[in-house]
Amino acid sequence: MGPKRRRVVILGSGFGGLAAAEALRGADLDITLIDRTNHHLFQPLLYQVATAALSPGDIAWPLRTIFRSQSNVRVVMGEVRAIDRAGRRVQVTDHPPIPYDVLIVAVGSRHAYFNRPDWEGYAPGLKTLADAVALRARMVLAFEQAERRAATSSGATPLTFVIVGGGPTGVELAGAMAEIGRNAMLPDFPFLQRQAVRILLVEAGSRVLSGFPPDLSAHAQSALESMGVTVLLNQRVREVGPKGVTLDGQFIETGNVIWAAGNRASPLLSSLQVPLDKDGRVFVRPDLTVPDDDWLFVIGDAAAVQDGQGHFLPGLAPVAMQEGRYVAAVLAAPTATGKRAAFRYVDRGTLATIGRAKAVAQFGSVHVSGFWAWMLWCTVHIFFLIGFRNRFRVVSEWIWYYLTFKPGARLLDQSHN
Amino acid sequence: MGPKRRRVVILGSGFGGLAAAEALRGADLDITLIDRTNHHLFQPLLYQVATAALSPGDIAWPLRTIFRSQSNVRVVMGEVRAIDRAGRRVQVTDHPPIPYDVLIVAVGSRHAYFNRPDWEGYAPGLKTLADAVALRARMVLAFEQAERRAATSSGATPLTFVIVGGGPTGVELAGAMAEIGRNAMLPDFPFLQRQAVRILLVEAGSRVLSGFPPDLSAHAQSALESMGVTVLLNQRVREVGPKGVTLDGQFIETGNVIWAAGNRASPLLSSLQVPLDKDGRVFVRPDLTVPDDDWLFVIGDAAAVQDGQGHFLPGLAPVAMQEGRYVAAVLAAPTATGKRAAFRYVDRGTLATIGRAKAVAQFGSVHVSGFWAWMLWCTVHIFFLIGFRNRFRVVSEWIWYYLTFKPGARLLDQSHN
């Protein structure tokens, strides 16, 4: 036992929290990583689990395995109830309070329902493995029920999937559902007509992928349409219920609405008692700390961080990871606060995939689309996947799927009627 | 439309029902396969999903995909409520009655709790993917909670797993839990002592694997003990509750009891109104039909079938598959009932695995144990796995696991506290 080491507590094992913890390997610190699940989730591929192209095990990795060889990290699986700033400790359900000298808040965000939480039951979102597995079950079940109706009744009702939100998640979901629903699953349901399966993507703005330049948005939209997805722009969701979803102009009858619109940062952040933006994110200083504590950092989707031009950084994995590494660097070299260099996000480009051999990519002024953007997307995602094993499995899954068009994990793990 | 074809309805997509349907490929019949799930499950490897060595997708395969290219089979996913013998039709929840000319009942069995259904909540069994996923979650969670206790309190309580039933499932589970729990998981829980993890196998009889010859039972027991499993023989379970399990001589404190003792055939069989044996199985005639209907077959775990010596056949996959193929042959060549040759089970040997490079095998008078029995076990199981894809994945999983001792799928797909 040397002198007491600084206690660093990290809340959340997403890209930000994980990057911070890993970047502190070897540091003379006493790190506690707290997450409500026992795994790190590679969220960018979650939609592929939801559409049964991948298995949960392919995109998630147990935290304890990740940090098995990093002796300065202790993993705690638990639900953080509140942050006790006065006592400098974290309240965890069924666990003694966990004291900290340094706190890194990387608790991410959940979907936002425009103050209509009652919609969530009819329009679940996609943030966790549980979300993805539930969504997959709903999709498979919807096909089974439509097949049953088509086989036993004369008038077959259409099978409609409505995806709300034209951002990367919505676009990726719509593309994957079009491919898997129409190409992979439909042949297994002899009574279902191809045109009976409808996939609608609803976007409130004037274009999909609004984070990308207009030409790539246009490309993404036409790619989706070529896959049989109906893209509805400038359509706000007015109501969601058991029978379907009401847009500005129309009512769409469906039992399958998926929410990919808007995020709201974790409610836990309110216990910090610092100013939050309209999405519930914490306004942080250039060194990612809260205004009144040099050793309380907020990163990732939980933080509202401005870039050099005063724009707020998007909620993307690379942003969170760079923020995590920045905080780790600050802790590794504890200079006086005044001397801390401000965090600078280095934009290495953004990617979104639409479907098999269809993607868009932006690198500054360079815009790429189609097959090569997709290859790039695959490469980047495989590269960032944690652990050889997952890479190996995801690659083999993708190759298998690319060659055969047969997703493997299309299972309901219990009876549904 | 030619003349009306005979309607064959198959209840259950286990080994028996699936073998019958597949053996009828090309037959001029109108086949309906009904199952409450949408997949065929390779049950012999279910314990590996439960112990996180494999993912659900590795051992299950969607029925619609299996029969995609077999045009005389229609798949219905639904819960069979009753068999209406008078009306010669099957009642399915949320579905019009399904009429049959020929009925093949292959509904399998569930665990038997010796008329103590209240035990099931404390001692779940292992029959479905849902069972396996739930059991896996309980195991991982038990480790997390034990680690939490060990890390935060002084007196660490032991982490005890009790497996009830020394048959193949119980032995395989105990072996897998010993390997994965002690070798793969323990290193991830720094506060847990090795000896704090206890795995007990409770058997009411005088030896494990009683279906095997005594020398192989002895080998299996010593192999289990060498892996750190405590084998308790001649111990009947008297009570199971939230605090633990009471045996003849002792009370074992644990929240982790797994039931692998005894089966009871599906309650659905009572709607057949024919004599059942003590385990709820149907006494069938030599051609596997019920006494009063030449076109109502019962196969697999649902049937009590006698061999030439008057012994009842065990509830094993090979038995069910041979019975399914026998019925298919009868239907393909519809001779007068009197002329039907009786079903004969060809015993090609039995296998049980205990752990990595540990198994026992019997082929008539030939007894094999150890590494070569295990290699044989792997080969046979891979061979019988449905579809190249699953074989490919399971093999890669096993190789990975054999080399690294790191099971991959050790995930909790939602938060637990």
Side-chain angles (χ1 to χ4, degrees):
Chain A
M1 287 299 291
K4 201 152 180 322
R5 302 193 297 181
R6 276 204 301 175
R7 297 161 304 182
V8 177
V9 172
I10 303 174
L11 308 185
S13 68
F15 287 105
L18 196 73
E22 289 186 314
L24 288 169
R25 168 181 289 275
D28 184 31
L29 298 164
D30 182 348
I31 302 163
T32 304
L33 176 62
I34 309 175
D35 196 275
R36 64 152 69 85
T37 74
N38 73 334
H39 55 268
H40 168 70
L41 177 64
F42 193 81
Q43 247 186 18
L45 289 180
L46 197 55
Y47 77 96
Q48 293 209 1
V49 173
T51 51
L54 293 176
S55 294
D58 299 335
I59 64 161
W61 200 233
L63 293 171
R64 295 190 181 279
T65 307
I66 296 171
F67 292 104
R68 180 186 281 198
S69 66
Q70 189 173 334
S71 59
N72 62 352
V73 172
R74 180 188 157 212
V75 174
V76 172
M77 180 181 153
E79 183 85 35
V80 175
R81 273 207 326 283
I83 296 160
D84 169 9
R85 292 192 57 190
R88 293 192 81 76
R89 51 191 206 165
V90 177
Q91 313 278 11
V92 180
T93 308
D94 300 330
H95 195 289
I98 299 174
Y100 64 83
D101 302 307
V102 179
L103 184 65
I104 303 173
V105 179
V107 289
S109 57
R110 285 291 295 173
H111 346 283
Y113 286 88
F114 316 138
N115 306 318
R116 287 296 302 272
D118 55 311
W119 289 358
E120 184 158 18
Y122 308 115
L126 192 59
K127 286 274 183 198
T128 67
L129 274 184
D131 293 338
V133 171
L135 183 53
R136 170 196 299 186
R138 285 180 74 221
M139 184 177 75
V140 175
L141 202 57
F143 269 85
E144 289 289 344
Q145 285 163 342
E147 171 82 354
R148 180 180 300 185
R149 282 197 306 272
T152 56
S153 74
S154 48
T157 44
L159 175 54
T160 307
F161 295 92
V162 176
I163 296 140
V164 180
T169 304
V171 167
E172 286 167 353
L173 257 178
M177 292 185 97
E179 280 185 344
I180 290 179
R182 295 182 146 221
N183 302 335
M185 291 183 69
L186 209 53
D188 286 346
F189 295 84
F191 290 89
L192 276 184
Q193 309 295 326
R194 182 174 183 78
Q195 60 274 25
V197 180
R198 299 162 58 211
I199 292 141
L200 279 62
L201 180 64
V202 177
E203 165 58 35
S206 60
R207 57 191 180 99
V208 298
L209 298 180
S210 55
F212 286 79
D215 61 319
L216 293 182
S217 297
H219 175 89
Q221 177 167 352
S222 57
L224 283 171
E225 285 163 347
S226 72
M227 294 159 69
V229 175
T230 307
V231 179
L232 301 174
L233 299 174
N234 305 303
Q235 292 277 326
R236 224 166 258 295
V237 171
R238 296 302 177 188
E239 189 60 54
V240 186
K243 294 238 170 305
V245 52
T246 311
L247 307 180
D248 288 325
Q250 54 186 312
F251 172 76
I252 300 165
E253 183 179 359
T254 176
N256 304 286
V257 184
I258 300 133
W259 198 261
N263 292 329
R264 175 150 193 89
S266 163
L268 184 70
L269 297 171
S270 55
S271 67
L272 289 173
Q273 287 149 335
V274 292
L276 308 177
D277 75 356
K278 63 168 179 31
D279 297 332
R281 301 181 302 173
V282 173
F283 288 108
V284 291
R285 292 184 287 178
D287 65 355
L288 306 182
T289 55
V290 293
D292 55 349
D293 187 340
D294 294 344
W295 298 108
L296 199 165
F297 300 85
V298 184
I299 63 175
D301 289 3
V305 183
Q306 285 179 313
D307 65 13
Q309 294 75 46
H311 303 119
F312 286 103
L313 296 175
L316 297 172
V319 175
M321 291 166 96
Q322 289 183 33
E323 290 171 349
R325 294 197 201 97
Y326 166 86
V327 173
V330 168
L331 296 182
T335 55
T337 323
K339 297 223 199 64
R340 283 181 191 169
F343 168 72
R344 287 257 169 282
Y345 171 57
V346 181
D347 183 352
R348 300 208 173 81
T350 4
L351 283 156
T353 180
I354 301 134
R356 208 159 76 139
K358 299 186 188 69
V360 294
Q362 177 191 20
F363 308 92
S365 59
V366 182
H367 302 173
V368 191
S369 63
F371 180 77
W372 291 110
W374 180 75
M375 283 303 291
L376 197 64
W377 177 88
C378 291
T379 315
V380 169
H381 283 75
I382 291 161
F383 179 79
F384 279 112
L385 271 182
I386 287 181
F388 160 75
R389 184 179 164 291
N390 293 40
R391 283 181 207 161
F392 165 75
R393 281 186 52 139
V394 171
V395 174
S396 60
E397 283 297 302
W398 284 349
I399 291 170
W400 173 261
Y401 174 62
Y402 190 85
L403 296 177
T404 65
F405 241 138
K406 280 197 202 126
R410 215 163 63 238
L411 303 169
L412 291 173
D413 72 359
Q414 44 214 341
S415 60
H416 295 78
N417 287 295
Chain B
M1 287 299 290
K4 200 152 182 323
R5 302 194 298 181
R6 274 204 303 175
R7 297 161 302 183
V8 178
V9 172
I10 303 174
L11 308 186
S13 68
F15 287 105
L18 197 72
E22 289 186 314
L24 287 169
R25 169 181 288 275
D28 184 30
L29 298 165
D30 182 346
I31 302 163
T32 304
L33 176 62
I34 309 175
D35 196 276
R36 65 152 66 86
T37 74
N38 74 332
H39 54 268
H40 169 70
L41 177 64
F42 194 81
Q43 246 186 18
L45 289 180
L46 197 55
Y47 77 97
Q48 293 210 1
V49 173
T51 49
L54 292 176
S55 293
D58 299 336
I59 64 161
W61 200 236
L63 293 171
R64 296 189 181 280
T65 306
I66 296 171
F67 292 104
R68 183 186 278 199
S69 66
Q70 190 173 334
S71 58
N72 63 351
V73 171
R74 179 189 158 212
V75 174
V76 171
M77 180 181 151
E79 183 86 35
V80 174
R81 274 207 326 283
I83 297 160
D84 170 8
R85 292 193 58 191
R88 295 192 81 77
R89 51 190 208 168
V90 177
Q91 314 278 9
V92 180
T93 308
D94 299 330
H95 194 289
I98 299 175
Y100 64 82
D101 302 308
V102 178
L103 184 65
I104 303 172
V105 179
V107 290
S109 57
R110 286 290 294 173
H111 346 282
Y113 285 88
F114 314 141
N115 306 317
R116 286 297 302 272
D118 54 311
W119 289 359
E120 183 157 20
Y122 309 115
L126 193 59
K127 285 277 184 196
T128 67
L129 276 184
D131 293 338
V133 171
L135 183 53
R136 169 196 300 186
R138 286 180 75 220
M139 184 178 76
V140 176
L141 202 57
F143 270 84
E144 290 288 345
Q145 285 163 342
E147 171 82 354
R148 180 181 300 184
R149 282 197 307 270
T152 56
S153 75
S154 49
T157 44
L159 175 55
T160 306
F161 295 92
V162 176
I163 295 139
V164 180
T169 304
V171 167
E172 286 167 353
L173 256 178
M177 291 184 99
E179 280 186 346
I180 290 181
R182 297 184 144 218
N183 302 335
M185 290 182 71
L186 209 54
D188 287 347
F189 296 84
F191 291 88
L192 276 184
Q193 308 296 325
R194 181 175 184 78
Q195 59 274 25
V197 179
R198 298 162 60 209
I199 292 140
L200 279 62
L201 180 64
V202 177
E203 164 59 36
S206 60
R207 57 190 180 100
V208 298
L209 298 181
S210 55
F212 285 78
D215 61 318
L216 293 182
S217 295
H219 175 89
Q221 176 167 351
S222 57
L224 283 171
E225 285 163 349
S226 73
M227 294 158 70
V229 175
T230 307
V231 179
L232 301 173
L233 298 174
N234 305 302
Q235 292 277 326
R236 224 165 258 295
V237 172
R238 295 302 176 188
E239 190 58 55
V240 186
K243 296 239 168 304
V245 51
T246 310
L247 306 179
D248 287 324
Q250 53 185 311
F251 172 76
I252 299 165
E253 183 179 0
T254 176
N256 304 287
V257 184
I258 300 131
W259 198 261
N263 291 329
R264 177 153 191 87
S266 164
L268 184 70
L269 297 171
S270 55
S271 68
L272 289 173
Q273 287 149 336
V274 293
L276 308 177
D277 75 356
K278 63 167 181 29
D279 297 332
R281 301 180 302 174
V282 174
F283 287 108
V284 291
R285 293 183 287 179
D287 64 355
L288 307 182
T289 55
V290 294
D292 55 349
D293 185 341
D294 294 344
W295 298 108
L296 200 165
F297 300 86
V298 184
I299 62 176
D301 289 3
V305 183
Q306 285 179 311
D307 64 13
Q309 293 75 47
H311 303 120
F312 286 104
L313 296 175
L316 297 172
V319 175
M321 292 165 96
Q322 289 183 32
E323 290 172 349
R325 293 195 202 99
Y326 166 86
V327 173
V330 168
L331 296 182
T335 54
T337 322
K339 297 222 199 64
R340 284 181 191 169
F343 168 73
R344 287 256 169 281
Y345 172 57
V346 182
D347 183 353
R348 300 205 174 80
T350 10
L351 283 156
T353 180
I354 299 135
R356 209 160 75 138
K358 299 186 188 69
V360 293
Q362 176 190 21
F363 308 92
S365 60
V366 182
H367 303 171
V368 191
S369 62
F371 180 77
W372 291 110
W374 181 75
M375 283 303 291
L376 197 64
W377 177 87
C378 289
T379 315
V380 169
H381 282 75
I382 290 161
F383 179 78
F384 278 112
L385 271 182
I386 287 181
F388 159 75
R389 182 178 166 292
N390 293 41
R391 282 181 208 162
F392 165 75
R393 280 185 53 138
V394 171
V395 174
S396 59
E397 283 296 302
W398 284 348
I399 291 170
W400 173 261
Y401 174 62
Y402 190 84
L403 296 177
T404 66
F405 242 136
K406 280 198 201 125
R410 215 165 62 238
L411 302 169
L412 291 173
D413 71 0
Q414 45 215 340
S415 60
H416 296 77
N417 287 295

